[in-house]
Amino acid sequence: LAVIAVILLLVILAIVLGVTLSKRRDDFNSKFMERCQKFKGYNCQKIWDAFQQAYVNRDRCDVPTEAYDPLIATAPFESLCNRMMFWSKTKNVVHDFTGAKDCFKTVEDTLLGSVLNELEWCGKSGSNETFTTGCPKWEECEKNAVRSFWNRVSAAFGDFACGNVTVMLNGSIDTPFSPTSIFASVEVKKFKYPKVKNLNVVLVIQKNSVTNCTNESLKNLTMGLDKGIGYRCFEVPESHLMECGSDPEKPCDVNIY
Ligand code: APR
């Protein structure tokens, strides 16, 4: 009798686990579709299919950035000249700002960026499933599904840059332009003159900020810029950005800084 009870218990556990896992997968797909459908004029089913083919049936640490090429091609960016906002180590403040000021867009405000923002996913070789828990962490391996996606979409966003480009950097740290960041290692390298005319750095300053526009790492930024691209740096108190961000009526030009 005890053996039967144990077997029964195991069967029930397996069913519960199976249902929970498939519910998580459905949740992931629903969230993807729901977020995608907020953007008009795109075929979200086609985008989902292109997304999945990048990582399904692949080792969780062996997803090259190129695997996302078809996905990028399926969901091109809308025209964004003079309105593109890059960032590094300013995740919250930049998104509070672009969320309120419709004129500036980060990659997380575009279709692919917003659909996959804050999500976790991976595949497994020999399986056609999408897993949404237990995936490698950012630092665990370089070619994990999530990190490769952000590297790929950021390269595309950098490639797409045109006109006056803005980047929000963190004035509260020693190295606002960190060589290992996606902004430094992927995006800046894609800025090409004359398509990109000028780079505006908004250095976000807090009360105890240690950094200003003369920071050494910013010199590296200017030195690495494609010849011909202009450069300006603004030290902007975070409180000022909050005000601008919270007032959608304020105009959308350099004066916002
Ligand atoms: N561990 C976990 N997550 C990380 C790590 C890490 N070591 N490094 C980066 N990330 C993820 C986090 O989600 C983090 O918020 O990448 C995000 C951005 O990292 P930052 O170092 O703040 O900035 P950066 O690497 O420059 O990436 C931001 O890339 O997403 C594009 O266009 C966007 O310009 C922006 C840039």
Side-chain angles (χ1 to χ4, degrees), residues 86-89 91 107-108 138-139 150 154 157 181-183 187:
F86 294 81
W87 57 275
S88 201
K89 312 281 189 288
K91 189 172 189 168
V107 73
E108 292 78 15
W138 190 271
E139 295 280 15
W150 286 108
S154 302
F157 200 58
S181 66
I182 296 183
F183 176 65
E187 294 174 325

Side-chain angles (χ1 to χ4, degrees), residues 66-83:
E66 307 86 71
Y68 288 102
D69 289 356
L71 174 67
I72 301 291
T74 318
F77 301 119
E78 292 161 8
S79 152
L80 286 173
C81 282
N82 304 319
R83 301 167 58 203

Side-chain angles (χ1 to χ4, degrees), residues 31-32 35-36 39 42 47 51 71-72 75-77 80 87 91 95 105-119 121 146 149-154 156-157 187:
K31 191 171 272 172
F32 187 107
R35 289 178 176 184
C36 179
F39 292 77
Y42 290 90
I47 295 173
F51 167 65
L71 174 67
I72 301 291
F77 301 119
L80 286 173
W87 57 275
K91 189 172 189 168
H95 293 118
K105 299 279 184 199
T106 64
V107 73
E108 292 78 15
D109 300 309
T110 67
L111 186 147
L112 290 177
S114 78
V115 162
L116 292 164
N117 200 15
E118 311 280 338
L119 296 185
W121 69 92
V146 174
F149 165 74
W150 286 108
N151 276 320
R152 183 63 188 88
V153 76
S154 302
F157 200 58
E187 294 174 325

